[in-house]
Every structure is written in C-alpha cells, then in structure tokens.
Amino acid sequence: MGSKERIAKALAVSTDTKFFEMGQGAAALAPEVFSRFFPGRRAVIVADLNTWRVLGEKVYDFFVEAGMPVDRYIIEKEEFHADWKYVEMTDLILRGEYAAAKALENDSAYEEGDAAEAFREPSQDWNVLVSVGSGVINDLCKLSSYHHGQSYLTLPTAASVDGYSSFGSSITYRSAKQTFTCPAPVAIIADIDVIAAAPKHMTAAGYADLAAKVPAGAEWMIADFVGSEPIQDDAWHVLQDYLDDFLSDPSGVAAGDPGAVADLFEGLTLSGFAMQAARSSRPASCCDHLFSHLLDMTGHRFNGKLQSHGYQVAIGTLTMCAVFDELFKQDLTAIDVDACVEAWPALEQEQERALEVFADSPAPKLGYEMITQKYGDKEAVRAEMTKLVAEWPQLMEKLQGQVYSFAKMQELFRIAGAPYETEHIGVTHEQIRDMFPKVQLMRARYNVLDLAMRGGFMNELTESLFNKEGVWEI
C-alpha cells in the first residue's frame, strides 16, 4: 500500500482532521486550505524566532498575496515548553490581545491560572490560529483553539513528534505533565522541503518518538490481554501495520533524505490519527513516555539545556525494550496464583505506598490519584494471574512479534542519531532505576509493570536491568 492509500485510510478513521497534504512546496496551499475551512476569518500566524525564519514569514506572505486578513505573533523566548503560562498566552493571541500576550510571555512573576476558567463562548470575531512550528507551538494552538470552540491549521517545521495530528495536548500544569482533552487540527500541511531541512537532532527525536510505538504497542497488548483496555482495531492497524517499514531507514533519517523523512513524518502523523480514532494516547505511548514526563516534571537539564521530548523518550523506549527482554526470560506459567492473591495489598496500602513514592515529587498526590483509578482487588488479581499462567506461551509469542530487543533498538537509534545511552541526555543509570516506582504509578493506564506487580516479579524484572550483566549496569 502506497503513501496516498495509507493516508486516505487514516483520514477515514480520524475524527478531527479532514485534510492532510504532504509534499515539496506544500506550504503554498495554506491560504486555499484556510479559506476552505475558515471562510472569511482572520488568520494569525503563530511561530517562534526560528520557525518564523524557516517558514512562518513565507506563509504570512502567502496570505498577504492572496488578499486575506492575517496577523502574526512571534514568540521571542529562546527557550519555552508547553507550560500553562504559554497556553494562556496563546489564548490571548487567538482573541487578538497581542500586547497582553507579549506581556505574559515576558512575565517572570507569572502565577498559574485555573484551567477550568480558560473556556470562552465561540465567536466568529476570534482569530483562527495557524501554527507554524514544532510540537510545542502545535500543542499550544491546539488547546487554545479548543478553549474557544474552534479548530486550527498546522504547518509543521520538523518531523520531531506525533502531536501534530494527535487528539489531546501534552501540557505541564500544576507541576505535572498532563494530557488535556482537545481535538486535533482540521488540516495539516507538511512541506517536506522544510521538514527535511530541519536540524538533525529534531528529526532524530521524531524517529525515537515513532519507535516508542513499538513497546507501547506491546503494553497495549498486555492491557488487552487482561481486559483492562481492549485494542481498537481501527486505531491499531492505521499505524502498527506499517510501523516496521517507517522505522526501516534510520540512515536515511540521519542524512535528512527527503524520502526517509517523509516516511518518518507520515508515520508520526498516522500515530496521531490512531490517537484520534481511540480518543486517547493509548496507541502511541505507555511507560516509554512516562520516563520523559518525570524528567519534565523535575525540570531536567543537560549542559544547561532542557532536553527534547523525543530525546527523553528514546531512553524510556530503550528501557522498556530491556524490560521486555527480561520479561521473556521469565517462566510465568510457574506463577503461584494463590500466593499472588494472598500477598496483594488492599487499596489503602497501595494509596499509602503511592504517597510515599511521590513524596518528593512536584505532584505529590499524582500516584495516589492514579492508583485509586486503576487498582484491582484480589479477585481481579486472581483472574489476571490465572489467565496469565494458562496462556503465557501464546501471549509471549505475540509480544515477541511486536517488540524489538534492546540491542536492535539501540542500534537503530545509534544510526538515526538519537540518544542510545542514558548519558546522552545527562541521566544516570541510578536515576532510571529510581524512576520505576513512579512510572508504574503515574498513570491510570494498565502497563507491564502493573502485570509484574500483580505477579510478584516486579523486583526481579527491573533489578536485572541494573546488575553487572544488565543494560544499564550500576
């Protein structure tokens, strides 16, 4: 199946995005596409200093030449992330309050507002946001548009994340990385000339973000197996059927080859369409992303710089591939189900553990809230473990057909130019080890660590990563 057929198939299951064009010089389509979905409305081009230079100014000129009403807002901060402050700034941009937006952008004494108060009644008088940039600008425009009951147009400038087409925005709010409900853009225009010329580290980050769908898919298979979160066929097949192909040319990605980068960007976009179909990030992430979220929550820096989402996800992905390597060494048919049930703690004990695990976290109640949602009682543990003992050989065979070994994934990342050792993002093996209790607890989503906790082999599974023969030796 060729690219056009894959994209048509994906658009058929997407719930929000109605137009996706990818090609050389595609940015010239922006005025025409905007007019189709937002007739008579004023556009405002949102870019940062870099993306204004590489594409934003050109898109602005396209609108001017077409005689269409258009404004521009350039984010001048050299370093900014998808924090709530910048969501509020983008809300002001959408409403045309540019001076107030600039004042907020530069406000060093900012106090976080209430997310519940961000919504406004829809109005034809509001601007329509045209996002020109990478993942952060897109997430800001996506959530702000939702706050005002409308959609937006996005022109990505790098194949760095899958968020351009995804349902939801990943925003830091109340000191925790959270996925806020909001629809994906109605239209995506991907100019491959621009995207292939993006800095190589951004493309490598996108490669790692796409590769994360490998272990994430395996964890969804486990959640499906225990009955926690059944696999949705449309959301699964739109990406997973082609994922190996999209990851097959890491050297082309590293070289910035337009064909390889186009394949990468298509894979990232299909991942977003899968999330639209599922109305959840389940098709695209699990524990692999949670290591990154923890680093975001603590403001992790390396050589004075915040690390990109994809770079951090690379290490989380490698770690989870190693977890699966160790899982496949276990004889789970030998699990003592009665012993697992007898040892399983009450909800109150798990809530207390979660409070202890997150006591030093910027979001101390996060684990408590998540374990309260996903806790299963003793009978649930009995049912899961009984099924696991009976069907482990068949489940393992399916998982082995999905997940890559640590060695294979590490070599792909090395070739693509993505981080393949923890020190490449300034993280120690000890830090990775110490993140595991938080990773298991920080989302209500069922994961492989939940399975290990219920089966009583969590310590055996994870500690083997850090011994003298482990991939992250301590």
Side-chain angles (χ1 to χ4, degrees):
M1 184 180 292
S3 177
K4 288 187 179 297
E5 290 79 12
R6 289 192 298 265
I7 291 170
K9 180 181 176 182
L11 284 170
V13 303
S14 69
T15 55
D16 308 321
T17 304
K18 306 305 178 187
F19 180 91
F20 172 38
E21 183 67 28
M22 179 176 65
Q24 295 180 311
L29 296 172
E32 174 190 342
V33 174
F34 186 92
S35 294
R36 184 188 312 178
F37 292 103
F38 308 104
R41 300 287 296 277
R42 174 177 293 276
V44 58
I45 312 300
V46 182
D48 62 26
L49 291 169
N50 290 324
T51 63
W52 175 256
R53 175 179 51 82
V54 300
L55 184 60
E57 185 174 14
K58 181 184 292 186
V59 172
Y60 177 84
D61 289 343
F62 286 149
F63 276 82
V64 171
E65 291 165 7
M68 297 171 60
V70 60
D71 288 336
R72 59 191 175 188
Y73 186 94
I74 303 171
I75 302 169
E76 297 175 306
K77 285 283 186 183
E78 290 189 7
E79 185 178 71
F80 64 97
H81 276 229
D83 301 329
W84 191 257
K85 170 183 176 178
Y86 296 106
V87 174
E88 292 190 1
M89 176 198 74
T90 311
D91 286 341
L92 292 169
I93 296 168
L94 188 149
R95 297 196 293 270
E97 301 175 41
Y98 305 130
K102 187 59 67 177
L104 180 57
E105 178 185 341
N106 295 314
D107 184 1
S108 59
Y110 165 77
E111 294 186 6
E112 195 168 73
D114 186 345
E117 297 178 358
F119 293 90
R120 299 290 187 276
E121 288 295 322
S123 171
Q124 292 293 306
D125 294 333
W126 303 138
N127 294 323
V128 174
L129 300 174
V130 177
S131 168
V132 180
S134 56
V136 172
I137 292 176
N138 181 71
D139 271 351
L140 297 175
C141 290
K142 187 188 305 183
L143 185 52
S144 288
S145 296
Y146 177 60
H147 287 162
H148 296 81
Q150 62 186 44
S151 191
Y152 71 107
L153 170 64
T154 189
L155 288 94
T157 55
S160 54
V161 294
D162 62 5
Y164 301 116
S165 55
S166 69
F167 174 82
S169 284
S170 186
I171 305 292
T172 300
Y173 176 69
R174 299 286 190 255
S175 300
K177 198 77 167 184
Q178 304 181 36
T179 299
F180 282 81
T181 294
C182 51
V186 69
I188 303 169
I189 300 174
D191 193 318
I192 292 302
D193 289 333
V194 173
I195 291 172
K200 290 185 177 181
H201 67 87
M202 298 186 75
T203 309
Y207 184 88
D209 195 23
L210 184 61
K213 291 28 170 173
V214 172
E219 293 199 75
W220 196 3
M221 293 168 72
I222 289 173
D224 176 80
F225 176 81
V226 301
S228 171
E229 200 166 355
I231 287 175
Q232 297 173 236
D233 286 343
D234 54 355
W236 177 270
H237 292 294
V238 74
L239 172 66
Q240 291 289 345
D241 286 358
Y242 319 109
L243 183 56
D244 290 345
D245 292 336
F246 289 139
L247 295 172
S248 66
D249 190 8
S251 59
V253 168
D257 174 75
V261 175
D263 284 345
L264 171 61
F265 188 84
E266 182 186 339
L268 292 166
T269 304
L270 296 190
S271 174
F273 288 159
M275 286 186 266
Q276 289 186 42
R279 308 309 280 175
S280 159
S281 61
R282 175 93 249 189
S285 69
C286 201
C287 289
D288 46 272
H289 273 58
L290 299 184
F291 290 93
S292 176
H293 292 341
L294 284 170
L295 291 172
D296 289 340
M297 287 168 61
T298 56
H300 173 70
R301 291 175 179 266
F302 180 47
N303 292 332
K305 294 183 178 181
L306 295 167
Q307 297 299 286
S308 72
H309 169 78
Y311 267 34
Q312 293 178 167
V313 165
I315 300 306
T317 297
L318 286 169
T319 301
M320 294 314 299
C321 287
V323 167
F324 276 100
D325 283 348
E326 295 302 320
L327 181 68
F328 298 148
K329 297 175 184 177
Q330 308 292 320
D331 179 11
L332 301 188
T333 64
I335 286 177
D336 186 331
V337 174
D338 289 335
C340 291
V341 173
E342 179 64 26
W344 188 242
L347 173 59
E348 292 76 15
Q349 293 173 287
E350 281 290 85
Q351 290 170 328
E352 183 177 348
R353 178 175 71 91
L355 289 172
E356 291 175 358
V357 167
F358 279 85
D360 62 347
S361 165
K365 293 185 178 180
L366 178 60
Y368 177 96
E369 293 166 353
M370 295 299 104
I371 196 61
T372 300
Q373 293 181 44
K374 72 175 175 179
Y375 176 80
D377 61 17
K378 288 180 180 290
E379 288 310 306
V381 171
R382 181 180 297 281
E384 290 176 14
M385 293 304 106
T386 299
K387 184 177 184 182
L388 183 64
V389 168
E391 301 179 28
W392 171 240
Q394 296 87 348
L395 176 61
M396 182 173 70
E397 183 178 0
K398 291 179 180 178
L399 294 172
Q400 287 175 323
Q402 166 67 23
V403 76
Y404 296 0
S405 69
F406 174 89
K408 176 178 178 177
M409 190 68 82
Q410 187 177 47
E411 179 63 7
L412 289 173
F413 284 179
R414 185 191 67 77
I415 296 170
Y420 58 90
E421 298 285 357
T422 62
E423 56 261 35
H424 294 165
I425 63 166
V427 172
T428 66
H429 295 173
E430 287 85 356
Q431 284 176 283
I432 297 293
R433 179 195 61 193
D434 294 345
M435 288 181 191
F436 269 96
K438 289 186 173 74
V439 166
Q440 185 257 325
L441 289 166
M442 72 181 294
R443 288 292 185 270
R445 181 171 296 164
Y446 195 102
N447 59 57
V448 65
L449 304 181
D450 291 318
L451 186 77
M453 290 290 289
R454 287 159 166 75
F457 56 92
M458 174 73 162
N459 290 340
E460 182 180 359
L461 183 67
T462 57
E463 288 179 2
S464 56
L465 273 63
F466 306 99
N467 62 28
K468 290 186 182 298
E469 293 78 35
V471 296
W472 301 144
E473 179 185 353
I474 294 178

